mmCIF file of all heavy atoms in Angstrom:
data_model
loop_
_atom_site.group_PDB
_atom_site.id
_atom_site.type_symbol
_atom_site.label_atom_id
_atom_site.label_comp_id
_atom_site.label_asym_id
_atom_site.label_seq_id
_atom_site.Cartn_x
_atom_site.Cartn_y
_atom_site.Cartn_z
ATOM 1 N N GLU Z 1 0.820 -1.210 0.000
ATOM 2 C CA GLU Z 1 0.000 0.000 0.000
ATOM 3 C C GLU Z 1 0.855 1.262 0.000
ATOM 4 O O GLU Z 1 0.513 2.257 -0.645
ATOM 5 C CB GLU Z 1 -0.920 -0.003 1.224
ATOM 6 C CG GLU Z 1 -2.001 -1.071 1.170
ATOM 7 C CD GLU Z 1 -2.740 -1.206 2.495
ATOM 8 O OE1 GLU Z 1 -2.414 -0.427 3.423
ATOM 9 O OE2 GLU Z 1 -3.625 -2.069 2.603
ATOM 10 N N SER Z 2 1.976 1.227 0.743
ATOM 11 C CA SER Z 2 2.836 2.408 0.821
ATOM 12 C C SER Z 2 4.239 1.979 1.234
ATOM 13 O O SER Z 2 4.560 1.931 2.426
ATOM 14 C CB SER Z 2 2.279 3.422 1.828
ATOM 15 O OG SER Z 2 3.157 4.530 1.944
ATOM 16 N N ALA Z 3 5.059 1.680 0.247
ATOM 17 C CA ALA Z 3 6.432 1.254 0.526
ATOM 18 C C ALA Z 3 7.213 2.354 1.241
ATOM 19 O O ALA Z 3 8.037 2.073 2.120
ATOM 20 C CB ALA Z 3 7.135 0.878 -0.781
ATOM 21 N N ASP Z 4 6.943 3.606 0.891
ATOM 22 C CA ASP Z 4 7.642 4.721 1.533
ATOM 23 C C ASP Z 4 7.290 4.809 3.015
ATOM 24 O O ASP Z 4 8.155 5.096 3.855
ATOM 25 C CB ASP Z 4 7.292 6.038 0.837
ATOM 26 C CG ASP Z 4 7.898 6.134 -0.553
ATOM 27 O OD1 ASP Z 4 8.857 5.381 -0.837
ATOM 28 O OD2 ASP Z 4 7.413 6.943 -1.351
ATOM 29 N N SER Z 5 6.028 4.577 3.341
ATOM 30 C CA SER Z 5 5.596 4.647 4.735
ATOM 31 C C SER Z 5 6.258 3.549 5.571
ATOM 32 O O SER Z 5 6.707 3.794 6.691
ATOM 33 C CB SER Z 5 4.074 4.516 4.811
ATOM 34 O OG SER Z 5 3.648 4.447 6.157
ATOM 35 N N LEU Z 6 6.326 2.349 5.028
ATOM 36 C CA LEU Z 6 6.978 1.254 5.751
ATOM 37 C C LEU Z 6 8.467 1.548 5.929
ATOM 38 O O LEU Z 6 9.031 1.330 7.006
ATOM 39 C CB LEU Z 6 6.786 -0.059 4.999
ATOM 40 C CG LEU Z 6 7.414 -1.292 5.667
ATOM 41 C CD1 LEU Z 6 6.716 -1.611 6.980
ATOM 42 C CD2 LEU Z 6 7.358 -2.504 4.734
ATOM 43 N N ALA Z 7 9.096 2.051 4.884
ATOM 44 C CA ALA Z 7 10.518 2.381 4.963
ATOM 45 C C ALA Z 7 10.773 3.443 6.029
ATOM 46 O O ALA Z 7 11.759 3.366 6.771
ATOM 47 C CB ALA Z 7 11.018 2.865 3.606
ATOM 48 N N GLU Z 8 9.884 4.423 6.106
ATOM 49 C CA GLU Z 8 10.033 5.481 7.108
ATOM 50 C C GLU Z 8 9.899 4.918 8.522
ATOM 51 O O GLU Z 8 10.635 5.312 9.428
ATOM 52 C CB GLU Z 8 8.979 6.556 6.871
ATOM 53 C CG GLU Z 8 9.097 7.750 7.814
ATOM 54 C CD GLU Z 8 8.064 8.826 7.517
ATOM 55 O OE1 GLU Z 8 7.394 8.738 6.470
ATOM 56 O OE2 GLU Z 8 7.923 9.756 8.349
ATOM 57 N N ALA Z 9 8.983 3.955 8.700
ATOM 58 C CA ALA Z 9 8.769 3.371 10.022
ATOM 59 C C ALA Z 9 9.989 2.588 10.501
ATOM 60 O O ALA Z 9 10.258 2.517 11.704
ATOM 61 C CB ALA Z 9 7.542 2.467 9.998
ATOM 62 N N PHE Z 10 10.732 2.017 9.564
ATOM 63 C CA PHE Z 10 11.895 1.209 9.928
ATOM 64 C C PHE Z 10 13.212 1.916 9.606
ATOM 65 O O PHE Z 10 14.268 1.292 9.617
ATOM 66 C CB PHE Z 10 11.834 -0.147 9.224
ATOM 67 C CG PHE Z 10 10.817 -1.073 9.822
ATOM 68 C CD1 PHE Z 10 9.495 -1.060 9.386
ATOM 69 C CD2 PHE Z 10 11.177 -1.945 10.839
ATOM 70 C CE1 PHE Z 10 8.551 -1.901 9.954
ATOM 71 C CE2 PHE Z 10 10.243 -2.794 11.411
ATOM 72 C CZ PHE Z 10 8.923 -2.765 10.967
ATOM 73 N N GLU Z 11 13.138 3.209 9.327
ATOM 74 C CA GLU Z 11 14.345 3.956 8.987
ATOM 75 C C GLU Z 11 15.350 3.944 10.128
ATOM 76 O O GLU Z 11 16.556 3.787 9.924
ATOM 77 C CB GLU Z 11 13.972 5.393 8.622
ATOM 78 C CG GLU Z 11 15.174 6.244 8.211
ATOM 79 C CD GLU Z 11 14.772 7.655 7.846
ATOM 80 O OE1 GLU Z 11 13.560 7.978 7.932
ATOM 81 O OE2 GLU Z 11 15.667 8.448 7.483
ATOM 82 N N SER Z 12 14.860 4.109 11.363
ATOM 83 C CA SER Z 12 15.761 4.157 12.516
ATOM 84 C C SER Z 12 16.492 2.834 12.714
ATOM 85 O O SER Z 12 17.711 2.809 12.924
ATOM 86 C CB SER Z 12 14.972 4.519 13.777
ATOM 87 O OG SER Z 12 15.812 4.502 14.918
ATOM 88 N N SER Z 13 15.770 1.716 12.637
ATOM 89 C CA SER Z 13 16.401 0.411 12.835
ATOM 90 C C SER Z 13 17.339 0.077 11.679
ATOM 91 O O SER Z 13 18.401 -0.536 11.884
ATOM 92 C CB SER Z 13 15.339 -0.676 12.979
ATOM 93 O OG SER Z 13 14.509 -0.741 11.837
ATOM 94 N N GLN Z 14 16.985 0.509 10.473
ATOM 95 C CA GLN Z 14 17.882 0.301 9.329
ATOM 96 C C GLN Z 14 19.177 1.089 9.507
ATOM 97 O O GLN Z 14 20.275 0.584 9.258
ATOM 98 C CB GLN Z 14 17.193 0.733 8.035
ATOM 99 C CG GLN Z 14 16.097 -0.191 7.549
ATOM 100 C CD GLN Z 14 16.615 -1.386 6.783
ATOM 101 O OE1 GLN Z 14 16.518 -2.518 7.228
ATOM 102 N NE2 GLN Z 14 17.175 -1.147 5.618
ATOM 103 N N ARG Z 15 19.038 2.330 9.962
ATOM 104 C CA ARG Z 15 20.216 3.172 10.172
ATOM 105 C C ARG Z 15 21.093 2.605 11.280
ATOM 106 O O ARG Z 15 22.326 2.581 11.164
ATOM 107 C CB ARG Z 15 19.787 4.600 10.508
ATOM 108 C CG ARG Z 15 20.976 5.554 10.691
ATOM 109 C CD ARG Z 15 20.516 6.989 10.794
ATOM 110 N NE ARG Z 15 19.607 7.202 11.897
ATOM 111 C CZ ARG Z 15 18.293 7.431 11.754
ATOM 112 N NH1 ARG Z 15 17.766 7.483 10.548
ATOM 113 N NH2 ARG Z 15 17.525 7.621 12.817
ATOM 114 N N GLU Z 16 20.471 2.127 12.353
ATOM 115 C CA GLU Z 16 21.240 1.542 13.457
ATOM 116 C C GLU Z 16 22.009 0.304 12.991
ATOM 117 O O GLU Z 16 23.177 0.127 13.341
ATOM 118 C CB GLU Z 16 20.304 1.170 14.602
ATOM 119 C CG GLU Z 16 21.029 0.587 15.812
ATOM 120 C CD GLU Z 16 20.076 0.223 16.931
ATOM 121 O OE1 GLU Z 16 18.856 0.439 16.776
ATOM 122 O OE2 GLU Z 16 20.550 -0.286 17.966
ATOM 123 N N LEU Z 17 21.351 -0.535 12.203
ATOM 124 C CA LEU Z 17 22.034 -1.716 11.680
ATOM 125 C C LEU Z 17 23.200 -1.311 10.782
ATOM 126 O O LEU Z 17 24.289 -1.892 10.860
ATOM 127 C CB LEU Z 17 21.047 -2.590 10.897
ATOM 128 C CG LEU Z 17 21.635 -3.812 10.200
ATOM 129 C CD1 LEU Z 17 22.329 -4.735 11.185
ATOM 130 C CD2 LEU Z 17 20.546 -4.570 9.428
ATOM 131 N N GLY Z 18 22.985 -0.316 9.926
ATOM 132 C CA GLY Z 18 24.058 0.155 9.055
ATOM 133 C C GLY Z 18 25.254 0.667 9.840
ATOM 134 O O GLY Z 18 26.409 0.398 9.486
ATOM 135 N N GLU Z 19 24.989 1.402 10.917
ATOM 136 C CA GLU Z 19 26.081 1.914 11.754
ATOM 137 C C GLU Z 19 26.828 0.776 12.441
ATOM 138 O O GLU Z 19 28.064 0.800 12.555
ATOM 139 C CB GLU Z 19 25.510 2.890 12.783
ATOM 140 C CG GLU Z 19 24.984 4.177 12.165
ATOM 141 C CD GLU Z 19 24.213 5.028 13.160
ATOM 142 O OE1 GLU Z 19 23.957 4.527 14.286
ATOM 143 O OE2 GLU Z 19 23.842 6.172 12.822
ATOM 144 N N ASN Z 20 26.093 -0.228 12.905
ATOM 145 C CA ASN Z 20 26.734 -1.385 13.524
ATOM 146 C C ASN Z 20 27.606 -2.139 12.519
ATOM 147 O O ASN Z 20 28.707 -2.605 12.855
ATOM 148 C CB ASN Z 20 25.679 -2.331 14.104
ATOM 149 C CG ASN Z 20 25.011 -1.779 15.343
ATOM 150 O OD1 ASN Z 20 25.567 -0.912 16.022
ATOM 151 N ND2 ASN Z 20 23.812 -2.262 15.645
ATOM 152 N N LEU Z 21 27.120 -2.246 11.291
ATOM 153 C CA LEU Z 21 27.906 -2.915 10.258
ATOM 154 C C LEU Z 21 29.183 -2.135 9.950
ATOM 155 O O LEU Z 21 30.256 -2.727 9.764
ATOM 156 C CB LEU Z 21 27.073 -3.084 8.989
ATOM 157 C CG LEU Z 21 25.929 -4.093 9.059
ATOM 158 C CD1 LEU Z 21 25.096 -4.048 7.783
ATOM 159 C CD2 LEU Z 21 26.453 -5.498 9.296
ATOM 160 N N ASP Z 22 29.083 -0.819 9.900
ATOM 161 C CA ASP Z 22 30.267 0.007 9.650
ATOM 162 C C ASP Z 22 31.316 -0.205 10.742
ATOM 163 O O ASP Z 22 32.512 -0.328 10.460
ATOM 164 C CB ASP Z 22 29.885 1.489 9.582
ATOM 165 C CG ASP Z 22 29.121 1.834 8.319
ATOM 166 O OD1 ASP Z 22 29.193 1.048 7.356
ATOM 167 O OD2 ASP Z 22 28.433 2.881 8.295
ATOM 168 N N ARG Z 23 30.864 -0.234 11.997
ATOM 169 C CA ARG Z 23 31.799 -0.451 13.098
ATOM 170 C C ARG Z 23 32.422 -1.849 13.026
ATOM 171 O O ARG Z 23 33.618 -2.018 13.267
ATOM 172 C CB ARG Z 23 31.094 -0.249 14.435
ATOM 173 C CG ARG Z 23 30.838 1.210 14.798
ATOM 174 C CD ARG Z 23 30.434 1.352 16.248
ATOM 175 N NE ARG Z 23 29.116 0.760 16.500
ATOM 176 C CZ ARG Z 23 27.980 1.447 16.391
ATOM 177 N NH1 ARG Z 23 28.001 2.722 16.035
ATOM 178 N NH2 ARG Z 23 26.823 0.865 16.652
ATOM 179 N N ALA Z 24 31.604 -2.831 12.682
ATOM 180 C CA ALA Z 24 32.119 -4.195 12.590
ATOM 181 C C ALA Z 24 33.150 -4.323 11.474
ATOM 182 O O ALA Z 24 34.178 -4.985 11.644
ATOM 183 C CB ALA Z 24 30.966 -5.170 12.356
ATOM 184 N N ARG Z 25 32.876 -3.694 10.330
ATOM 185 C CA ARG Z 25 33.833 -3.746 9.223
ATOM 186 C C ARG Z 25 35.167 -3.114 9.621
ATOM 187 O O ARG Z 25 36.239 -3.618 9.280
ATOM 188 C CB ARG Z 25 33.268 -3.023 7.994
ATOM 189 C CG ARG Z 25 32.072 -3.693 7.355
ATOM 190 C CD ARG Z 25 31.679 -2.959 6.076
ATOM 191 N NE ARG Z 25 30.403 -3.412 5.550
ATOM 192 C CZ ARG Z 25 29.269 -2.751 5.659
ATOM 193 N NH1 ARG Z 25 29.242 -1.568 6.268
ATOM 194 N NH2 ARG Z 25 28.154 -3.236 5.160
ATOM 195 N N SER Z 26 35.085 -2.007 10.347
ATOM 196 C CA SER Z 26 36.312 -1.296 10.727
ATOM 197 C C SER Z 26 37.133 -2.079 11.737
ATOM 198 O O SER Z 26 38.344 -1.871 11.853
ATOM 199 C CB SER Z 26 35.960 0.090 11.289
ATOM 200 O OG SER Z 26 35.286 -0.026 12.532
ATOM 201 N N ARG Z 27 36.490 -2.996 12.473
ATOM 202 C CA ARG Z 27 37.198 -3.752 13.507
ATOM 203 C C ARG Z 27 37.475 -5.197 13.088
ATOM 204 O O ARG Z 27 37.995 -5.981 13.885
ATOM 205 C CB ARG Z 27 36.386 -3.740 14.808
ATOM 206 C CG ARG Z 27 36.154 -2.355 15.378
ATOM 207 C CD ARG Z 27 35.494 -2.418 16.734
ATOM 208 N NE ARG Z 27 36.328 -3.146 17.700
ATOM 209 C CZ ARG Z 27 35.942 -3.427 18.933
ATOM 210 N NH1 ARG Z 27 34.741 -3.051 19.353
ATOM 211 N NH2 ARG Z 27 36.743 -4.083 19.746
ATOM 212 N N LEU Z 28 37.129 -5.519 11.874
ATOM 213 C CA LEU Z 28 37.278 -6.907 11.427
ATOM 214 C C LEU Z 28 38.723 -7.381 11.534
ATOM 215 O O LEU Z 28 38.988 -8.546 11.872
ATOM 216 C CB LEU Z 28 36.779 -7.039 9.983
ATOM 217 C CG LEU Z 28 36.746 -8.449 9.398
ATOM 218 C CD1 LEU Z 28 35.841 -9.367 10.206
ATOM 219 C CD2 LEU Z 28 36.296 -8.406 7.940
ATOM 220 N N HIS Z 29 39.666 -6.490 11.244
ATOM 221 C CA HIS Z 29 41.078 -6.880 11.274
ATOM 222 C C HIS Z 29 41.557 -7.233 12.686
ATOM 223 O O HIS Z 29 42.618 -7.853 12.841
ATOM 224 C CB HIS Z 29 41.943 -5.748 10.718
ATOM 225 C CG HIS Z 29 41.953 -4.518 11.580
ATOM 226 N ND1 HIS Z 29 40.915 -3.609 11.596
ATOM 227 C CD2 HIS Z 29 42.869 -4.061 12.470
ATOM 228 C CE1 HIS Z 29 41.188 -2.641 12.451
ATOM 229 N NE2 HIS Z 29 42.366 -2.890 12.997
ATOM 230 N N GLU Z 30 40.774 -6.872 13.707
ATOM 231 C CA GLU Z 30 41.163 -7.168 15.084
ATOM 232 C C GLU Z 30 40.749 -8.577 15.522
ATOM 233 O O GLU Z 30 41.175 -9.052 16.575
ATOM 234 C CB GLU Z 30 40.520 -6.158 16.042
ATOM 235 C CG GLU Z 30 40.890 -4.709 15.764
ATOM 236 C CD GLU Z 30 40.119 -3.751 16.648
ATOM 237 O OE1 GLU Z 30 39.513 -4.220 17.644
ATOM 238 O OE2 GLU Z 30 40.094 -2.539 16.349
ATOM 239 N N VAL Z 31 39.923 -9.223 14.720
ATOM 240 C CA VAL Z 31 39.382 -10.527 15.123
ATOM 241 C C VAL Z 31 40.474 -11.592 15.095
ATOM 242 O O VAL Z 31 41.231 -11.707 14.124
ATOM 243 C CB VAL Z 31 38.220 -10.950 14.200
ATOM 244 C CG1 VAL Z 31 37.770 -12.376 14.520
ATOM 245 C CG2 VAL Z 31 37.060 -9.980 14.331
ATOM 246 N N ARG Z 32 40.556 -12.365 16.162
ATOM 247 C CA ARG Z 32 41.475 -13.494 16.242
ATOM 248 C C ARG Z 32 40.690 -14.727 16.683
ATOM 249 O O ARG Z 32 39.849 -14.640 17.579
ATOM 250 C CB ARG Z 32 42.613 -13.228 17.228
ATOM 251 C CG ARG Z 32 43.500 -12.041 16.854
ATOM 252 C CD ARG Z 32 44.312 -12.322 15.587
ATOM 253 N NE ARG Z 32 45.178 -11.199 15.242
ATOM 254 C CZ ARG Z 32 44.833 -10.221 14.433
ATOM 255 N NH1 ARG Z 32 43.602 -10.197 13.901
ATOM 256 N NH2 ARG Z 32 45.667 -9.249 14.156
ATOM 257 N N VAL Z 33 40.954 -15.858 16.084
ATOM 258 C CA VAL Z 33 40.296 -17.109 16.438
ATOM 259 C C VAL Z 33 41.316 -17.976 17.162
ATOM 260 O O VAL Z 33 42.331 -18.360 16.577
ATOM 261 C CB VAL Z 33 39.765 -17.843 15.189
ATOM 262 C CG1 VAL Z 33 39.016 -19.115 15.589
ATOM 263 C CG2 VAL Z 33 38.864 -16.919 14.380
ATOM 264 N N ASP Z 34 41.047 -18.268 18.429
ATOM 265 C CA ASP Z 34 42.041 -19.030 19.191
ATOM 266 C C ASP Z 34 41.900 -20.529 18.917
ATOM 267 O O ASP Z 34 40.975 -20.990 18.248
ATOM 268 C CB ASP Z 34 41.926 -18.729 20.691
ATOM 269 C CG ASP Z 34 40.584 -19.129 21.291
ATOM 270 O OD1 ASP Z 34 40.002 -20.143 20.844
ATOM 271 O OD2 ASP Z 34 40.119 -18.432 22.214
ATOM 272 N N ARG Z 35 42.828 -21.286 19.465
ATOM 273 C CA ARG Z 35 42.914 -22.714 19.189
ATOM 274 C C ARG Z 35 41.665 -23.466 19.672
ATOM 275 O O ARG Z 35 41.170 -24.365 18.987
ATOM 276 C CB ARG Z 35 44.157 -23.288 19.887
ATOM 277 C CG ARG Z 35 44.428 -24.752 19.602
ATOM 278 C CD ARG Z 35 45.022 -24.942 18.238
ATOM 279 N NE ARG Z 35 45.399 -26.323 17.990
ATOM 280 C CZ ARG Z 35 46.016 -26.742 16.902
ATOM 281 N NH1 ARG Z 35 46.335 -25.877 15.955
ATOM 282 N NH2 ARG Z 35 46.314 -28.015 16.742
ATOM 283 N N GLU Z 36 41.153 -23.088 20.833
ATOM 284 C CA GLU Z 36 39.989 -23.767 21.374
ATOM 285 C C GLU Z 36 38.753 -23.525 20.510
ATOM 286 O O GLU Z 36 37.922 -24.421 20.305
ATOM 287 C CB GLU Z 36 39.729 -23.308 22.810
ATOM 288 C CG GLU Z 36 38.565 -24.019 23.501
ATOM 289 C CD GLU Z 36 38.722 -25.531 23.494
ATOM 290 O OE1 GLU Z 36 39.870 -26.022 23.582
ATOM 291 O OE2 GLU Z 36 37.684 -26.223 23.399
ATOM 292 N N GLN Z 37 38.612 -22.314 19.987
ATOM 293 C CA GLN Z 37 37.498 -22.033 19.086
ATOM 294 C C GLN Z 37 37.612 -22.859 17.809
ATOM 295 O O GLN Z 37 36.624 -23.392 17.299
ATOM 296 C CB GLN Z 37 37.460 -20.534 18.756
ATOM 297 C CG GLN Z 37 37.021 -19.666 19.935
ATOM 298 C CD GLN Z 37 37.209 -18.194 19.652
ATOM 299 O OE1 GLN Z 37 38.185 -17.792 19.015
ATOM 300 N NE2 GLN Z 37 36.285 -17.376 20.124
ATOM 301 N N LYS Z 38 38.834 -22.970 17.278
ATOM 302 C CA LYS Z 38 39.043 -23.792 16.080
ATOM 303 C C LYS Z 38 38.700 -25.253 16.368
ATOM 304 O O LYS Z 38 38.137 -25.948 15.511
ATOM 305 C CB LYS Z 38 40.491 -23.668 15.619
ATOM 306 C CG LYS Z 38 40.862 -22.289 15.104
ATOM 307 C CD LYS Z 38 42.341 -22.205 14.793
ATOM 308 C CE LYS Z 38 42.742 -20.786 14.381
ATOM 309 N NZ LYS Z 38 44.204 -20.645 14.190
ATOM 310 N N ARG Z 39 39.030 -25.719 17.567
ATOM 311 C CA ARG Z 39 38.727 -27.100 17.924
ATOM 312 C C ARG Z 39 37.207 -27.324 17.953
ATOM 313 O O ARG Z 39 36.714 -28.343 17.455
ATOM 314 C CB ARG Z 39 39.350 -27.447 19.276
ATOM 315 C CG ARG Z 39 39.046 -28.874 19.774
ATOM 316 C CD ARG Z 39 39.816 -29.179 21.040
ATOM 317 N NE ARG Z 39 41.246 -29.146 20.796
ATOM 318 C CZ ARG Z 39 41.927 -30.178 20.256
ATOM 319 N NH1 ARG Z 39 41.283 -31.289 19.913
ATOM 320 N NH2 ARG Z 39 43.222 -30.077 20.078
ATOM 321 N N ARG Z 40 36.465 -26.371 18.530
ATOM 322 C CA ARG Z 40 35.010 -26.522 18.596
ATOM 323 C C ARG Z 40 34.396 -26.519 17.190
ATOM 324 O O ARG Z 40 33.461 -27.271 16.911
ATOM 325 C CB ARG Z 40 34.405 -25.416 19.450
ATOM 326 C CG ARG Z 40 34.725 -25.527 20.940
ATOM 327 C CD ARG Z 40 33.714 -24.759 21.782
ATOM 328 N NE ARG Z 40 33.685 -23.347 21.440
ATOM 329 C CZ ARG Z 40 34.455 -22.422 22.020
ATOM 330 N NH1 ARG Z 40 35.334 -22.779 22.952
ATOM 331 N NH2 ARG Z 40 34.353 -21.158 21.666
ATOM 332 N N ILE Z 41 34.927 -25.657 16.346
ATOM 333 C CA ILE Z 41 34.439 -25.601 14.962
ATOM 334 C C ILE Z 41 34.700 -26.930 14.262
ATOM 335 O O ILE Z 41 33.826 -27.486 13.584
ATOM 336 C CB ILE Z 41 35.115 -24.447 14.190
ATOM 337 C CG1 ILE Z 41 34.636 -23.099 14.733
ATOM 338 C CG2 ILE Z 41 34.823 -24.545 12.695
ATOM 339 C CD1 ILE Z 41 35.427 -21.920 14.213
ATOM 340 N N ALA Z 42 35.901 -27.465 14.433
ATOM 341 C CA ALA Z 42 36.249 -28.735 13.799
ATOM 342 C C ALA Z 42 35.393 -29.879 14.337
ATOM 343 O O ALA Z 42 34.958 -30.761 13.582
ATOM 344 C CB ALA Z 42 37.731 -29.034 14.019
ATOM 345 N N GLN Z 43 35.127 -29.873 15.633
ATOM 346 C CA GLN Z 43 34.285 -30.917 16.223
ATOM 347 C C GLN Z 43 32.864 -30.852 15.679
ATOM 348 O O GLN Z 43 32.256 -31.885 15.374
ATOM 349 C CB GLN Z 43 34.283 -30.764 17.749
ATOM 350 C CG GLN Z 43 35.598 -31.151 18.411
ATOM 351 C CD GLN Z 43 35.626 -30.818 19.894
ATOM 352 O OE1 GLN Z 43 34.852 -29.980 20.369
ATOM 353 N NE2 GLN Z 43 36.529 -31.451 20.624
ATOM 354 N N ASP Z 44 32.324 -29.634 15.546
ATOM 355 C CA ASP Z 44 30.977 -29.481 14.991
ATOM 356 C C ASP Z 44 30.939 -29.959 13.539
ATOM 357 O O ASP Z 44 29.989 -30.631 13.114
ATOM 358 C CB ASP Z 44 30.531 -28.021 15.071
ATOM 359 C CG ASP Z 44 30.214 -27.582 16.493
ATOM 360 O OD1 ASP Z 44 30.027 -28.473 17.353
ATOM 361 O OD2 ASP Z 44 30.159 -26.369 16.745
#
């Protein structure tokens, strides 16, 4: 009925998600996977 109206209603949550993604991308290089995490992944 009104795609613009729905988009406006969820604009805040969309913007918040976008900001969280930007922060995550900027910190991706800091991620380290330790040996125990690798073991759990391999076991699964």
Side-chain angles (χ1 to χ4, degrees):
E1 292 170 2
S2 177
D4 290 341
S5 174
L6 181 66
E8 183 178 350
F10 286 88
E11 182 180 1
S12 177
S13 59
Q14 287 278 113
R15 182 171 59 252
E16 182 180 359
L17 176 58
E19 292 170 352
N20 288 338
L21 290 174
D22 288 341
R23 284 193 292 270
R25 293 185 190 104
S26 68
R27 299 187 61 185
L28 185 60
H29 67 282
E30 301 174 14
V31 173
R32 298 292 181 268
V33 183
D34 62 34
R35 184 77 175 184
E36 183 55 34
Q37 289 171 323
K38 293 174 185 175
R39 178 174 297 279
R40 290 201 301 270
I41 291 169
Q43 289 172 340
D44 288 343

